[in-house]
Amino acid sequence: MTPTQQEVPADNGEMTSLLLGAGFALASLIILPAVAQRIGLGSSLTIALRGALMRAANRV
């Protein structure tokens, strides 16, 4: 049985959401702290930016 046209976009939407969420999580846990340390941001600002990224990932 082949997937109908209605099933394919739903599957693509789930994959897109998964990839965006994973990207935001990766950015907030690894990339953001590394960049913040490199440019000399304070830890409280880094934590605030991390929280904002995690909230954005949660909305996806």
Side-chain angles (χ1 to χ4, degrees), residues 11-43:
D11 186 34
N12 287 341
E14 290 175 6
M15 181 59 83
T16 302
S17 294
L18 180 65
L19 289 175
L20 281 172
F24 280 132
L26 176 71
S28 70
L29 294 174
I30 297 172
I31 297 171
L32 179 68
V35 171
Q37 182 181 11
R38 183 76 168 185
I39 62 174
L41 287 178
S43 62

Side-chain angles (χ1 to χ4, degrees), residues 42-55:
S43 62
S44 41
L45 183 57
T46 304
I47 291 169
L49 288 172
R50 180 184 283 176
L53 277 174
M54 292 306 285
R55 280 192 297 274

